[in-house]
Amino acid sequence: MAHPSQLGFQDAASPVMEELLHFHDHALMIVFLISTLVLYIIIAMVTTNLTNKYILDSQEIEIIWTLLPAIILILIALPSLRILYLMDEINEPHLTIKTMGHQWYWSYEYTDYEELAFDSYMIPTQDLTPGQFRLLETDHRMVIPAESPIRMLVSADDVLHSWAVPSLGVKMDAVPGRLNQTAFIVPRPGVYYGQCSEICGANHSFMPIVVETVLLEHFENWSFSMINNA
């Protein structure tokens, strides 16, 4: 969960999000160094004789400002491509969940179980209990086992939506008539919040996502009770 006056990202709750945070710090440091160099050159040009025409027409400087950006782009592109392919890998998932975006709620179907499906609506403000978060709590959470690869199949029933949980590093568009997929793994139990990240209509901000990660035995008990109560 984010907290008041927070400046950075939420704490990473998945290996993919940890890689994204590391890449963010890597790219931010490169941007900081570039900004510092440019600022130094601007100050030097204003306060010294750096604007001498022999320096500005130097062949060496032209070579440097051509090669340096190319090297910087390579330093950014290589780790970026690595993470991109890492996010696309789906190797023998233990559980597959299909989610459909509706105006304005999410529905979940556990394809590995028979008759395990439910809709997830936001809890109205007047119905919240102490400790629950406004605009983020749902009446039914998506429960998954910890330390298990999860495959998400994402689509929509009406308009464009986006299933996104920042702390898990997951954001997948829900497109009507198209089935997108993504995968993630959560190494520890916890509750993680997200929201639709596509402007889908008047109640776009009222279709939150709650992912609850539990131990495997607790997940089995939960799935058994949900099927029996269906």
Side-chain angles (χ1 to χ4, degrees):
M1 276 296 298
H3 55 77
S5 71
Q6 178 175 337
L7 296 179
F9 291 97
Q10 297 182 23
D11 292 339
S14 69
V16 170
M17 189 58 190
E18 290 179 357
E19 293 290 338
L20 290 173
L21 290 179
H22 293 158
F23 175 71
H24 168 266
D25 296 339
H26 169 74
L28 188 62
M29 183 56 64
I30 293 177
V31 171
F32 174 76
L33 294 175
I34 294 174
S35 302
T36 303
L37 177 61
V38 172
L39 180 61
Y40 168 76
I41 293 176
I42 292 175
I43 295 175
M45 291 179 65
V46 172
T47 59
T48 67
N49 295 324
L50 192 60
T51 55
N52 185 284
K53 64 178 182 179
Y54 298 106
I55 296 179
L56 292 180
D57 293 338
S58 172
Q59 185 69 31
E60 291 79 5
I61 289 183
E62 292 185 5
I63 294 175
I64 291 174
W65 71 37
T66 301
L67 292 180
L68 190 59
I71 295 173
I72 293 174
L73 289 177
I74 293 175
L75 293 177
I76 295 177
L78 292 181
S80 175
L81 292 174
R82 173 180 171 273
I83 296 176
L84 182 63
Y85 283 107
L86 180 65
M87 295 174 67
D88 285 340
E89 288 185 0
I90 302 177
N91 297 322
E92 299 181 358
H94 295 176
L95 184 66
T96 299
I97 303 174
K98 178 183 177 182
T99 179
M100 294 284 292
H102 307 271
Q103 291 181 313
W104 284 273
Y105 65 95
W106 295 97
S107 62
Y108 298 96
E109 178 184 349
Y110 290 68
T111 60
D112 300 290
Y113 295 81
E114 293 184 4
E115 301 179 357
L116 181 51
F118 54 86
D119 296 329
S120 181
Y121 291 87
M122 186 193 76
I123 299 178
T125 302
Q126 62 272 17
D127 296 334
L128 292 174
T129 59
Q132 291 185 323
F133 298 102
R134 177 178 173 271
L135 301 182
L136 289 177
E137 295 289 350
T138 60
D139 55 354
H140 291 94
R141 295 175 172 178
M142 191 189 88
V143 181
I144 59 174
E147 300 181 349
S148 297
I150 307 298
R151 174 170 57 188
M152 292 295 303
L153 304 178
V154 184
S155 186
D157 184 53
D158 34 48
V159 298
L160 291 174
H161 300 279
S162 185
W163 197 86
V165 183
S167 58
L168 301 182
V170 177
K171 183 181 184 298
M172 180 56 64
D173 289 342
V175 182
R178 177 169 180 165
L179 198 63
N180 294 327
Q181 68 175 353
T182 185
F184 59 91
I185 181 172
V186 185
R188 62 178 185 271
V191 179
Y192 310 99
Y193 296 88
Q195 290 177 302
C196 175
S197 296
E198 191 74 40
I199 300 178
C200 55
N203 291 338
H204 153 71
S205 58
F206 303 112
M207 48 185 304
I209 302 163
V210 183
V211 178
E212 182 176 358
T213 306
V214 298
L215 299 178
L216 181 59
E217 55 268 24
H218 295 163
F219 173 78
E220 293 175 346
N221 294 333
W222 172 84
S223 60
F224 181 77
S225 63
M226 288 290 292
I227 293 174
N228 289 338
N229 295 332

